[in-house]
Structure formats: C-alpha cells, structure tokens
Amino acid sequence: MDFANQIILIAGLLFLVSILASVISSRIGAPLLLVFLLIGMLMGESGPGGIEFHDFPTAYLIGSLALAVILFDGGLRTKVETFRVGLRPAVTLATLGVLLTVGITGLLTALVLDLPLIVGLLIAAIVGSTDAAAVFYLLRAHGLELKQRVGATLEIESGSNDPMAIFLTIALVEFIVGEHTSLGVGLAVEFVQQMGIGAVIGLSGGLLLQLLINRIRLTPGLYPLLAVSGALLLFGAAAVLEGSGFLAVYLAGILLGNRPLQSAQNIRRFHDGLAWLAQIIMFLMLGLLVTPRELLEVAVPALVVAAILILLARPLAVVACLLPFRFPWREQLFVGWVGLRGAVPILLGLLPFLAGAEGAAMYFNIAFFVVLISLVVQGWTVAPLAHWLQLDVPPRSRVVHRLELDLPGQAEFELVGYTIEADSPAVYKMVGRLTLPENTRIVTVVRQGEPLADACDDILQVNDYVYVLTSPDRLPALDRVFVAEHGPARLEEHVFFGDFVLNGETDLDDLAGAYGLDIPDRKDSDRDLNSYLLRLFKNQAVVGDRVRLNNMEFVVREMDNGQITRVGLKIRRQAGEKR
Amino acid sequence: MIKIADLITPERVVCDADVSSKKRGLELLSELVAERDSELQSTAIFNKLISRERLGSTGLGHGVAIPHARIEGMPSACAAFIKLREGIDFDAFDQQPVDMLFSLVVPEHFTDEHLQILARLAEMFSDVAFCRQLRDCTDDTALHGLLVQWDSGTRGD
C-alpha cells in the first residue's frame, strides 16, 4: 500500500508542478513543452527525482494513446473554413514535404556523419513530423494572431504529417531489421493502404460516432467520454486493419468538430483539458525515459542533424512544396522556419528499440536532442519572427469572459461578459441607447455584485460588468462597443487596416475616379475591388493581405465565403510632407 | 503642406447642428462648402460626396466621418465641419452613430494632396483627447479655434 500511495503523491506533485510551470513559461516565452520535458528529466534518474524508468513498450503505448487524444482534439478545433486557403498547401507539405525533408536530411546526415544511407534516412524519418500545438500556444501567449493562410497551413500540416512520418519510420525500421527486402513498389502499396484505410475508417467512423452522440440520451458528463471512447475505438480499428490510426482519429475529430453535435461545447472543453493532460503525461514520461548522460554522447551528431533539418531540409522542402501556391516570400520564410518538432519524433525514436534494431539507443537519443534544440531555437523565435515578418493580424476579440451555450435546437449563441474600463467607449452611456450589432442583446448589468433589475435606463459606470447574448461572428463588432483599443501600436485597427473602409463590390472605375488612381495590372474581368484583389492574391486572399497602389494601400479587412466584402484603405504618409 | 487653417473658416463651422440623416448631413456640408464660391453648385458637391459614400462609408469609427470628393473647377481645397446635437447613422464600420462630420473638397488635379490632407485629418480625429474637447464645445467660434489650433499646436511633426 505504501508504494501505491507514494506513486500517487509523486504523480500529483509532478502534475501540479507542470501546470504551475505553464504560468512561468508564458511569462518568459519559453515553449511549455520544453518545460514539461525538463521537469521529466529532473525527476528522472540523473536528476534530484532519481526515478528509474526504462520501460520502452509501456512508454510507446502511453505515448501513442496520448498522441491519439491530442490529434483528435486538434481535429475538433480545426475549422473547415480554413481549408479554403490552408488545405492544399498543408496536404502537400504533409506528404511531399515530409518526403523531401526526410530525403534531404537523411542524405546529408549520412554524408556528413559517414553513416550508411539507410541509417541516415531512419534518423531523418524519426524527426520528420512537425508539431503546431507548440507554435499556437506560443503565439497565443504573446497575444498574436497569425494571418489565416499561414496559420491554417501550419495547423493542418502538423495534424496530418504525423501519419506520414510514422509510416516512413516503421517502414525503414522494418527494412533495417530485415522484414522488407526492398524499398520499392511494396512500400508505395503499403502507404496507399495505410492512408486509405485510415481515411475510410476515420470518416465513416466519425459519421457513425456523430450519429450516435446526437441520437442517444445520456447524462451530460458522459458525452465527452462517449466521444473519446469512440475516437480510441476508431484508432484501434484502423490500426488492427493495418491502416493509420492517427489519420483516422484526426479525420474523425475534424468531422465531429464541424458538424452539428449534441453537447458540442461540453465535448470541446473536456477535450481541451484532456489534450493538455495527454501533453503533460507524454512529455513528462519522455523526459523520465531519457538518460541525460547519454544525450551528451550524441551531442555532435544531433547538432548536425538539427542544423541540416532546420537550416536546409525544412526550408528547401517548404519552398518546393509551396511553389505552386505562390505564397508571399515572408510567409514561405515563416512556414520554413516554424517546423517545430514535438513529442512525435521522441515517440518514434522508441520504434527501433521495440523492433530490436541495432544501435537503437542512438536513434532515440538523437531524436530527443533534436527536439530539444528545435524547441529552444525555433520555439523561442516564433513569436518575434511572426511579428518581424508582419504576419500577425489584429486579434479578433478582446472579450473578457466567454461562456458558450449549448441550447438544444438553437443557433449558436454565446454569453459574453465585459468589464467596463475607464476608457471604454460605452462608459457613461445609457444602456438602452447603446448601438449594438444585430443579433445581440444585453442580458444584464452587474454593479458592485448586484445585477440591476432593469438596466435599460441605467448609465454605465466604470467597473460595471455587462453580460451580452451574441452570436460568435458579432464579437469583433461588439468589442468595439465596449472595449477601447489597446495592444501593439502597429496592430491597432486603424493603423493596420487604414482609416477608411471600402465595400468589396466597389466599382473599380468609380474608385479610380474618386481618387484619380491608375490601377496597375488591371484585366477586363476586374469589375470591382473584390474580383481585382482576389485575382491579385490568386483567389487565396486572407484578412491582412495588402497591395499598394500609388500612395494608397488596400488591405483585405473582411471576408465571407471566399469573397472580399470589406477593404481597408490606408493612405501612405509622405515623409517629405513633414514640416 | 496645407494647414487646417487654410481649409476652414469660422463661417463653415457649425456647432450643435440639427441633422436627422446622413443625406441631410451631407447636404448641409455641401451648402457650407459651396457658400464661399457662388459658381459652385452645392448640389454638384453633394452628388460627388454621396457617390463617394457608395464606395464605402467615410466614417472613421468613434463617431467621426470625413466625407470627401474631388470637384472639377474648384479653385482650391476647402472644408466644412459640423458637430451634431444627436448622432446619425452613417453606416460606419463600427456601426456607431456619427456626430462629427468634416467634409473635404479639393480641385480635381489634387490627387496626392487630397490623400495627404485626408491622412492628416484622420490623424487629427484619432486623437481621443482632442475629440473630447471638440464634443465639449458649445459654440462655432470655439470649435473653429480648436480645429485651427490642433494644426499649429505643439505637435512636432
């Protein structure tokens, strides 16, 4: 009994420390995953914790489970709207991109370190997949929001490239231990089979799971569990049938996250927590597993691999894959740099062990070291780089408190709360006379802890708390009513988008007439601003895209269904005009 | 660079105007701008202003709008300013009612100048403290004084 209690005590302590560490991590801008990993290492055999943990099969099992949960949650959060600009580049990166990255890294690693080609390729495959969760956590911690094209590409890529890296690693390990004799046609067939079965099971199973959740009546607390058990079932089913379980759960997650689902908010919130738990468990465990002393022995080769991967292979692969999509160079540079490596490479580093390959420890230790370097070097620079390349857009909402409501049979509504600050545009205005966006209603005003009986005739005071019922797409408009603009000067709305707003359907001739503009590269088919800008941005325009005409800048401000509805007009001040 | 003082005269500033709609607001501004030059028909100016509004509201947000247009035969740049007793709906992107309107009318050949003055006006009205001062004004002369002052104030640019 004593032993069990000690384990519980240590586990509780580990979780507590990890969760509290997140506060410090966002303060100093360090990637949180790095912190979890370090805590695991400190608790391990070489640190003060002194816990010995060398059970590789168990570690792989727990890691796979955690990864399945994380991918399912990633799918739930992926919005199908972002597929418009992100899907094709992301899928290209997740397939061809991984292949190129692995090929280049493997070849150069073998060459530089004088290793057999197959060993170089295996090392490269192990570190081949990216992790976007870390990227988005970092950006959010800095209060940055990425332009949709870049954000969606990175997010979908990282969700969908794990199956590819896993597949390559397994195939190469099997080849090394002699299960495959060649790396030719058989491999291609197996790839198609893995992905095909994974996709079919993920999509059909996701549909069935949605049907089940919507049909069945349960205690509310059980819906999220139903979802997660369904996800694990799909993972297992796909894997047993020789398909990719990771692809299956990711696709099922996307399906559930984008279709009407009973208790959707409940499920989402639960999975948010569960994904955190999975991240913590996985990284703590991987930190415990490694022997830091052995890491030092592979320091040189690991540095070589990391340098090749980060500085050459990833940027080259990204440029090659994004070529047909003609991303602006800033965005290519960013995607090329932000190939952050997370838990998956470490997890894949276990595979040679499990297969009993020769020198298996080396793969694991190199993978571990590369992830550490990537988290430190890339992780720490992500937010400043996004800022420097001007890929961030003004945050869409500054709402203080959001409570999403699950009303059966209702369109989506949220209950949001605002604290009235001294500089709020709404302060000292009469509640009933505020100009609110459509589809929003003030529910109540709380003043000094007391809800006001009839707020309509009241004048808003500083420190009042206003609750508003709204649909989520009205949030930006609602923010303008209650919150004064703060934040980095470059991202203040009028600095970023310009002072004036034009409609997307503005006739180009009228626009040219109003300002005496010459519109360059104009085609006959360009009647209005929308069609002109869409063509300039190859039909992949996103909010924040800008084009310069004469002394003006046009900035895409609002989009709806792939069409540009609002365009900011920004006037460039001439330096010579200063007195 | 053209100063605000060169654009506006005390006669073209109206405090606490009673205007009930966007159309009426633009009409009043057109009349004020046209007054100086009898050749200029206020309707011509009004038509230009209203057709500019069709491209997108000239509301800047926070209750301010800068209707503007280039007009053929205009001898020089000219502006008018009205502050309304009650805000009117101006289709501004923030959907807030507009209670301060500054209209700018320039000769047709003013293309760059047009933009530079607009940028300057937008900068002026993005000054929150300044807008509060304007809203606290109770007569035309004081309003005019504030507008002219902003330009020659201590701002070092």
Side-chain angles (χ1 to χ4, degrees):
Chain A
M1 271 319 277
D2 226 23
F3 180 66
N5 290 339
Q6 278 176 14
I7 296 236
I8 293 174
L9 177 69
I10 291 171
L13 190 68
L14 272 179
F15 280 131
L16 188 73
V17 170
S18 307
I19 291 163
L20 293 182
S22 70
V23 181
I24 305 161
S25 142
S26 62
R27 288 256 170 83
I28 59 174
L32 190 55
L33 305 182
L34 183 67
V35 177
F36 294 161
L37 214 51
L38 290 178
I39 292 175
M41 286 167 75
L42 282 177
M43 294 310 286
E45 53 195 316
S46 308
I51 300 170
E52 296 244 2
F53 179 61
H54 288 292
D55 190 347
F56 290 94
T58 307
Y60 187 72
L61 172 67
I62 296 177
S64 300
L65 264 175
L67 186 58
V69 168
I70 293 167
L71 279 173
F72 185 62
D73 178 61
L76 280 176
R77 290 157 182 285
T78 304
K79 291 274 153 252
V80 170
E81 296 98 86
T82 65
F83 280 13
R84 176 180 69 86
V85 286
L87 183 64
R88 283 179 304 154
V91 169
T92 314
L93 281 172
T95 50
L96 184 67
V98 172
L99 220 50
L100 280 174
T101 312
V102 170
I104 299 172
T105 313
L107 210 67
L108 289 177
T109 301
L111 219 67
V112 174
L113 297 179
D114 198 20
L115 291 170
L117 180 60
I118 189 79
V119 174
L121 285 175
L122 178 54
I123 294 175
I126 287 173
V127 297
S129 84
T130 63
D131 182 344
V135 175
F136 287 94
Y137 176 80
L138 285 171
L139 292 171
R140 262 194 299 274
H142 283 80
L144 295 177
E145 197 165 311
L146 275 186
K147 278 171 84 169
Q148 200 191 34
R149 185 170 39 231
V150 183
T153 301
L154 285 172
E155 203 162 13
I156 304 171
E157 180 205 6
S158 76
S160 54
N161 68 7
D162 296 336
M164 182 75 180
I166 293 166
F167 170 78
L168 282 177
T169 307
I170 292 177
L172 287 165
V173 168
E174 285 175 350
F175 181 78
I176 285 182
V177 297
E179 282 180 33
H180 286 292
T181 42
S182 77
L183 284 175
V185 184
L187 203 65
V189 172
E190 200 182 325
F191 175 74
V192 173
Q193 177 199 328
Q194 284 262 346
M195 298 303 152
I197 293 177
V200 169
I201 296 223
L203 292 175
S204 56
L207 276 175
L208 284 176
L209 188 58
Q210 183 214 359
L211 216 64
L212 185 67
I213 292 174
N214 284 344
R215 287 286 165 81
I216 204 166
R217 284 210 164 276
L218 291 172
T219 314
L222 285 180
Y223 284 108
L225 289 179
L226 181 59
V228 77
S229 53
L232 292 182
L233 178 72
L234 291 178
F235 179 87
V240 166
L241 293 172
E242 307 264 303
S244 168
F246 297 103
L247 186 63
V249 278
Y250 182 60
L251 291 176
I254 292 180
L255 218 96
L256 287 186
N258 287 284
R259 293 174 66 92
L261 191 67
Q262 177 153 263
S263 207
Q265 303 305 341
N266 190 2
I267 291 175
R268 224 166 266 164
R269 224 169 298 149
F270 174 82
H271 276 88
D272 187 42
L274 199 60
W276 272 115
L277 185 68
Q279 296 261 20
I280 294 176
I281 289 180
M282 179 146 70
F283 277 87
L284 283 181
M285 183 191 72
L286 294 171
L288 277 178
L289 199 58
V290 78
T291 313
R293 200 169 0 92
E294 289 173 15
L295 280 184
L296 287 177
E297 291 164 20
V298 298
V300 175
L303 276 170
V304 170
V305 174
I308 294 172
L309 178 71
I310 294 173
L311 300 176
L312 276 173
R314 166 83 182 173
L316 280 177
V318 165
V319 169
C321 288
L322 295 186
L323 208 57
F325 306 106
R326 292 193 251 172
F327 273 38
W329 68 267
R330 292 166 183 277
E331 300 183 8
Q332 293 195 25
L333 191 66
F334 188 74
V335 176
W337 181 249
V338 184
L340 220 68
R341 312 288 135 168
V344 179
I346 308 181
L347 200 61
L348 292 181
L350 294 173
L351 280 172
F353 269 113
L354 300 182
E358 205 181 316
M362 175 198 66
Y363 296 108
F364 176 73
N365 288 328
I366 289 186
F368 199 100
F369 208 112
V370 170
V371 170
L372 277 185
I373 295 172
S374 168
L375 283 176
V376 172
V377 175
Q378 292 169 304
W380 231 301
T381 49
V382 159
L385 186 70
H387 193 70
W388 183 64
L389 290 173
Q390 308 194 344
L391 293 179
D392 42 347
V393 291
R396 282 169 50 81
S397 178
R398 288 169 240 258
V399 70
V400 182
H401 180 214
R402 289 172 78 158
L403 183 65
E404 290 151 347
L405 301 175
D406 278 321
L407 303 174
Q410 293 287 315
E412 257 184 272
F413 275 110
E414 292 183 10
L415 195 59
V416 298
Y418 290 93
T419 309
I420 302 295
E421 309 276 350
D423 58 355
S424 160
V427 72
Y428 307 133
K429 287 194 180 162
M430 203 191 281
V431 174
R433 304 199 59 179
L434 289 173
T435 317
L436 294 175
E438 283 169 50
N439 264 330
T440 57
R441 284 278 177 286
I442 291 186
V443 181
T444 187
V445 175
V446 179
R447 181 169 300 159
Q448 286 159 358
E450 299 279 338
L452 301 183
D454 183 17
C456 218
D457 295 329
D458 264 292
I459 310 275
L460 282 177
Q461 308 288 329
V462 176
N463 289 333
D464 278 1
Y465 205 64
V466 184
Y467 271 109
V468 190
L469 191 66
T470 177
S471 53
D473 53 328
R474 303 285 179 209
L475 273 179
L478 202 59
D479 281 354
R480 287 194 203 99
V481 179
F482 291 108
V483 191
E485 288 189 15
H486 288 298
R490 191 181 73 74
L491 288 181
E492 290 229 1
E493 231 173 4
H494 69 272
V495 180
F496 190 86
F497 290 115
D499 293 305
F500 296 101
V501 185
L502 298 169
N503 301 325
E505 67 257 32
T506 289
D507 188 279
L508 277 185
D509 292 325
D510 291 349
L511 181 65
Y515 292 102
L517 278 178
D518 293 322
I519 295 179
D521 305 323
R522 190 180 167 183
K523 295 263 161 62
D524 290 340
S525 56
D526 301 335
R527 297 202 175 283
D528 54 20
L529 204 50
N530 169 45
S531 53
Y532 175 65
L533 291 178
L534 276 183
R535 189 175 55 75
L536 286 189
F537 294 113
K538 288 111 191 161
N539 278 322
Q540 304 279 305
V542 291
V543 170
D545 275 342
R546 51 185 68 224
V547 57
R548 194 174 163 181
L549 293 187
N550 310 331
N551 271 329
M552 291 174 153
E553 253 180 326
F554 293 97
V555 190
V556 177
R557 183 159 185 157
E558 271 176 36
M559 298 207 59
D560 186 23
N561 275 327
Q563 302 294 309
I564 301 168
T565 51
R566 295 285 181 97
V567 178
L569 185 155
K570 188 172 173 179
I571 299 166
R572 300 181 68 104
R573 298 290 301 268
Q574 285 166 355
E577 291 285 348
K578 287 188 177 173
R579 285 171 296 158
Chain B
M1 168 117 198
I2 296 176
K3 291 183 184 162
I4 309 283
D6 303 331
L7 297 171
I8 203 154
T9 61
E11 300 81 56
R12 292 203 297 270
V13 175
V14 177
C15 189
D16 293 331
D18 278 311
V19 163
S20 54
S21 68
K22 182 171 181 175
K23 179 166 173 283
R24 273 301 302 148
L26 294 178
E27 270 171 5
L28 176 56
L29 288 166
S30 308
E31 283 158 20
L32 288 171
V33 175
E35 214 170 50
R36 186 185 59 165
D37 195 328
S38 55
E39 280 173 55
L40 276 167
Q41 298 291 314
S42 71
T43 43
I45 297 175
F46 173 77
N47 287 338
K48 281 280 191 182
L49 290 179
I50 203 99
S51 61
R52 168 60 188 84
E53 293 299 323
R54 279 193 208 108
L55 310 182
S57 172
T58 55
L60 300 178
H62 307 294
V64 180
I66 310 185
H68 53 273
R70 297 185 305 141
I71 309 272
E72 207 177 336
M74 193 84 187
S76 65
C78 180
F81 179 72
I82 55 176
K83 181 164 84 83
L84 309 182
R85 213 181 283 280
E86 289 278 330
I88 52 172
D89 182 16
F90 211 80
D91 307 318
F93 75 91
D94 64 354
Q95 295 172 358
Q96 296 305 302
V98 163
D99 64 347
M100 297 203 289
L101 296 95
F102 191 108
S103 74
L104 173 72
V105 173
V106 299
E108 194 151 41
H109 65 272
F110 271 41
T111 47
D112 276 348
E113 294 93 327
H114 185 199
L115 295 181
Q116 293 309 315
I117 302 171
L118 280 176
R120 196 155 175 75
L121 291 174
E123 187 191 336
M124 176 166 84
F125 285 110
S126 69
D127 182 340
V128 178
F130 177 70
C131 285
R132 197 172 303 132
Q133 282 180 314
L134 287 177
R135 288 200 169 94
D136 288 343
C137 269
T138 48
D139 64 275
D140 304 354
T141 341
L143 264 187
H144 177 257
L146 270 177
L147 289 169
V148 173
Q149 222 177 12
W150 187 85
D151 212 19
S152 56
T154 47
R155 272 154 253 267
D157 62 341

